[in-house]
Amino acid sequence: MGISYTPRLSTTTLDVTHSSLFPCTSKTNPGKISDSTFSHTNNISLNNLQKPTKKFGSFYYCSHNTTCLGSKIVPLKCFDKVREMESQEGIAQKTTIDIHGIDEELVQKMVYDALVWSSLHGLVVGDRSVQRSGKVPGVGMVHAPFSLLPMTFPESHWKLACEVAPIFNELIDRVSLDGKFLQDALSRTKKVDAFTSRLIDIHSKMLEINKSEEIRLGLHRSDYMLDEQTKILLQIELNTISSSFPGLSCLVSDLHRSLLKYYGEHIGLDSSRIPGNSSADKFAEALAKAWTEYNNPRALVLVVVQPEEHNMYDQHWLCATLEERHNVKTIRKTLAEIDKDGEILPDGTLLLGGKEISVVYFRAGYAPTDYPSEAEWRARLLMEQSSAVKCPSISYHLAGTKKIQQELAKPNMLERFLENKEDIAKLRKCFAGLWSLDDSDIIQKAIERPDLFVMKPQREGGGNNIYGDDVRTNLRRLQKEGSEEDAAYILMQRIFPMVSPAFLVRESICHKDHAISELGVYGAYLRNKEKVIINEQCGYLMRTKVSSSNEGGVAAGFAVLDSIYLN
């Protein structure tokens, strides 16, 4: 999730006073998720947003603002889908968790206990108001923003999201190996997007020297929203670099499970309905196995980080798990530090400060701001040229761009990379509308109904998308200028998820609001030459935000961490 604006909302502040502390619980590993078959028509229907202002308790919201970013993949010839998008008649307001019936005093007790639990268990982030909080561990820590109660989610759709995770993993790997496809698909984007152009240049250099990645590691996250009108789980995007919150997301699941074990009888909720979440353990295990495949027990895992990282504790959870459970040492360095201290030996070995690096795990390098000078670009190229395992490699990085996702939506494109027809059908069930801006007919549709579309650039990290009237304004500007700048964007369908009341806790203050949620399912893929070592779903991230917000990144300050309550 990202955010473009946060409207002013009326909220109720709960005075957190005193409550008895409930017992701490250990992490629960998820059991194997059973397969499930789904059959539904992928008829995308988004439209006719409700206009009247509607009252929610003591809170007001304008329901024409209650929709969220949509995204993703659909064939170009899809005006039937556009007509279906125009047929939706608003968003239903319903939930199976009746938060209106929870006594305010009980809420105050739950908030107090949740804040204590977060402090004791490391569910924390850096406090942006403290100068050194993003640089020095232990300085200026605050609880991560969270939802007080889990968000209900259909069990059938949860199983589907888990079922397709390994298929998406395989797809990314296949796409990454097709250098010509990546270069051709991004050729127009390269001309108008300087950041993507630099990434493509690195990829071109690897093709020129015939650089192969025998050991390939992907730690992915596929993000979805459940469209309320069609009941279809639609993919928003597939993240292949710096898939955040594997460390903290499992803690939120534990927090909610603990709260429901203590308070469940009072509010009618069963803690066993929250699925286990082992994302931190699974990501660490994948990194450790990649380290093992590299086959040098003295080598280190390098975590590439930003100079100032308020989400460092999410990353430190992985590093701690790697060291404590797998005896794998890690170091954290910025791109500038890697440029200063890094070198490659003639055999391709990557050294950093004289120490050999086996695996490079990127938690930075996905945004233009991560490359303020040529030093950072030199570091990225240096690592790519080395024999270290990259997570992701430059080809994996490019395979996760918005333009590639749009290209994969074209008719018969998935068949270029996957053979299993059932797998292809499952992926297409998750595809939402996505178009190139060189299609004049769809552009006219978007100008006429900008509320049904989202313009997205080739960026990660949230806060970059264009919504509403700004879609019309920018499309008209591009038409008037007649330049190739349109290649820097893709056009996506907006998804209209269910709106539910929720308690959102940020900076120790709880407020009740209308909210929507986005499910991210983590996946790990590890391959050494022809041998697939890992290909699995490995945990999830639930993010919830006020429904009147277009985007909602947790790190950006607009969404909260959440978990799933299966129904």
Side-chain angles (χ1 to χ4, degrees):
M1 291 181 176
I3 184 76
S4 61
Y5 67 95
T6 303
R8 188 174 181 180
L9 297 172
S10 173
T11 59
T12 294
T13 299
L14 301 177
D15 179 21
V16 180
T17 53
H18 173 71
S19 171
S20 58
L21 181 65
F22 53 82
C24 302
T25 59
S26 60
K27 292 186 178 181
T28 304
N29 291 326
K32 183 177 180 181
I33 298 170
S34 60
D35 293 335
S36 180
T37 303
F38 305 86
S39 59
H40 60 264
T41 57
N42 192 7
N43 55 329
I44 301 161
S45 92
L46 304 173
N47 176 60
N48 251 345
L49 310 180
Q50 299 172 341
K51 297 297 181 183
T53 299
K54 188 166 185 173
K55 187 174 181 181
F56 169 41
S58 60
F59 316 99
Y60 290 82
Y61 77 107
C62 294
S63 53
H64 68 278
N65 281 333
T66 61
T67 60
C68 177
L69 68 148
S71 78
K72 227 82 310 147
I73 315 170
V74 148
L76 294 176
K77 297 178 181 179
C78 52
F79 285 109
D80 287 342
K81 295 181 183 298
V82 174
R83 284 192 289 271
E84 289 165 0
M85 288 163 61
E86 294 173 346
S87 70
Q88 181 173 337
E89 297 180 355
I91 302 171
Q93 310 288 320
K94 63 181 180 179
T95 180
T96 57
I97 296 181
D98 181 20
I99 73 169
H100 301 294
I102 303 178
D103 179 76
E104 183 174 337
E105 183 178 354
L106 180 60
V107 172
Q108 293 176 10
K109 291 180 179 180
M110 292 173 65
V111 171
Y112 181 92
D113 283 355
L115 293 173
V116 172
W117 193 100
S118 298
S119 301
L120 294 178
H121 292 79
L123 182 55
V124 295
V125 294
D127 185 348
R128 293 180 181 275
S129 67
V130 178
Q131 186 176 4
R132 297 192 300 152
S133 69
K135 298 180 179 180
V136 182
V139 175
M141 292 189 297
V142 296
H143 74 87
F146 60 84
S147 175
L148 185 61
L149 294 172
M151 183 62 67
T152 56
F153 199 82
E155 186 170 6
S156 59
H157 289 87
W158 159 245
K159 290 180 178 179
L160 173 62
C162 295
E163 185 179 349
V164 298
I167 308 174
F168 275 118
N169 290 341
E170 184 71 27
L171 175 63
I172 289 298
D173 187 65
R174 300 282 185 90
V175 171
S176 74
L177 296 175
D178 195 333
K180 185 178 186 303
F181 170 75
L182 291 172
Q183 290 284 323
D184 291 347
L186 293 167
S187 59
R188 288 190 68 237
T189 304
K190 179 180 179 179
K191 297 177 182 179
V192 294
D193 187 316
F195 174 65
T196 304
S197 178
R198 294 297 297 265
L199 296 175
I200 296 171
D201 286 343
I202 294 176
H203 182 253
S204 298
K205 289 183 173 67
M206 298 305 102
L207 293 178
E208 289 171 6
I209 64 176
N210 198 27
K211 179 72 166 63
S212 63
E213 299 293 331
E214 293 184 347
I215 305 174
R216 304 191 294 277
L217 172 63
L219 297 177
H220 307 142
R221 194 188 70 232
S222 186
D223 294 335
Y224 306 89
M225 279 186 171
L226 179 58
D227 182 69
E228 170 62 12
Q229 184 70 17
T230 64
K231 309 302 182 188
I232 299 174
L233 189 68
L234 297 177
Q235 188 187 53
I236 295 171
E237 64 181 353
L238 182 58
N239 303 276
T240 60
I241 182 170
S242 188
S243 299
S244 60
F245 291 113
L248 297 188
S249 63
C250 51
L251 291 177
V252 178
S253 299
D254 289 345
L255 165 63
H256 285 161
R257 197 173 293 107
S258 296
L259 283 171
L260 296 193
K261 284 181 178 178
Y262 194 79
Y263 292 105
E265 292 185 5
H266 300 282
I267 57 180
L269 298 178
D270 180 4
S271 64
S272 67
R273 300 304 298 167
I274 300 175
N277 192 356
S278 58
S279 50
D281 293 342
K282 291 292 187 178
F283 267 30
E285 180 183 358
L287 287 164
K289 287 188 176 180
W291 173 84
T292 299
E293 291 299 312
Y294 183 85
N295 198 27
N296 182 350
R298 295 183 300 277
L300 307 176
V301 171
L302 168 63
V303 184
V304 183
V305 299
Q306 295 172 335
E308 186 172 335
E309 178 57 83
H310 293 92
N311 194 33
M312 69 169 71
Y313 304 103
D314 174 61
Q315 302 165 7
H316 279 299
W317 271 110
L318 297 187
C319 295
T321 305
L322 266 174
E323 296 189 19
E324 293 172 4
R325 297 193 180 183
H326 304 282
N327 197 30
V328 176
K329 302 296 182 182
T330 63
I331 56 172
R332 293 166 56 86
K333 295 291 181 180
T334 66
L335 287 167
E337 290 171 332
I338 294 167
D339 175 64
K340 179 182 177 182
D341 300 328
E343 61 177 314
I344 297 181
L345 299 182
D347 64 355
T349 299
L350 176 63
L351 299 181
L352 191 58
K355 298 179 180 180
E356 184 170 351
I357 303 300
S358 58
V359 181
V360 179
Y361 173 43
F362 285 93
R363 291 300 294 262
Y366 54 84
T369 51
D370 289 335
Y371 301 85
S373 71
E374 285 301 310
E376 287 77 14
W377 285 112
R378 288 194 301 268
R380 183 65 186 269
L381 178 60
L382 180 79
M383 290 182 287
E384 202 64 37
Q385 291 172 324
S386 76
S387 59
V389 181
K390 274 76 68 176
C391 181
S393 65
I394 191 66
S395 58
Y396 265 53
H397 188 170
L398 292 176
T401 58
K402 307 299 186 295
K403 179 59 182 175
I404 295 302
Q405 293 169 350
Q406 182 255 310
E407 287 290 318
L408 291 174
K410 291 182 177 180
N412 303 316
M413 188 59 73
L414 287 181
E415 285 79 359
R416 176 171 177 168
F417 302 102
L418 300 174
E419 297 82 25
N420 188 299
K421 292 182 179 179
E422 291 184 2
D423 288 348
I424 292 171
K426 289 174 184 177
L427 295 190
R428 286 208 169 107
K429 288 179 182 178
C430 302
F431 285 176
L434 190 151
W435 303 268
S436 167
L437 266 66
D438 59 6
D439 186 326
S440 59
D441 291 332
I442 200 68
I443 296 306
Q444 187 57 39
K445 285 284 185 180
I447 290 175
E448 294 172 358
R449 292 299 308 274
D451 51 318
L452 300 182
F453 298 87
V454 181
M455 282 181 69
K456 283 195 170 185
Q458 311 300 317
R459 295 290 181 270
E460 302 296 333
N464 302 296
N465 301 324
I466 300 172
Y467 300 89
D469 289 338
D470 290 337
V471 172
R472 177 189 290 120
T473 300
N474 280 274
L475 289 177
R476 284 176 172 169
R477 176 181 61 83
L478 292 172
Q479 283 183 331
K480 182 178 180 180
E481 293 175 354
S483 68
E484 292 188 320
E485 186 189 342
D486 61 349
Y489 299 91
I490 58 170
L491 200 60
M492 292 185 178
Q493 164 198 348
R494 289 185 77 165
I495 299 173
F496 293 73
M498 184 180 73
V499 179
S500 304
F503 291 115
L504 310 179
V505 184
R506 182 182 292 277
E507 296 180 352
S508 303
I509 298 173
C510 177
H511 68 273
K512 182 169 68 173
D513 213 319
H514 279 334
I516 55 179
S517 296
E518 177 178 325
L519 171 66
V521 175
Y522 295 111
Y525 187 91
L526 177 63
R527 188 183 192 110
N528 191 343
K529 298 178 182 177
E530 298 305 313
K531 180 183 178 181
V532 177
I533 300 165
I534 299 175
N535 184 15
E536 61 182 4
Q537 175 267 344
C538 49
Y540 71 94
L541 167 68
M542 195 71 163
R543 288 168 292 179
T544 295
K545 64 177 184 178
V546 294
S547 59
S548 51
S549 168
N550 275 333
E551 298 186 81
V554 176
F558 304 101
V560 302
L561 298 172
D562 206 340
S563 69
I564 295 175
Y565 188 87
L566 296 177
N567 63 1

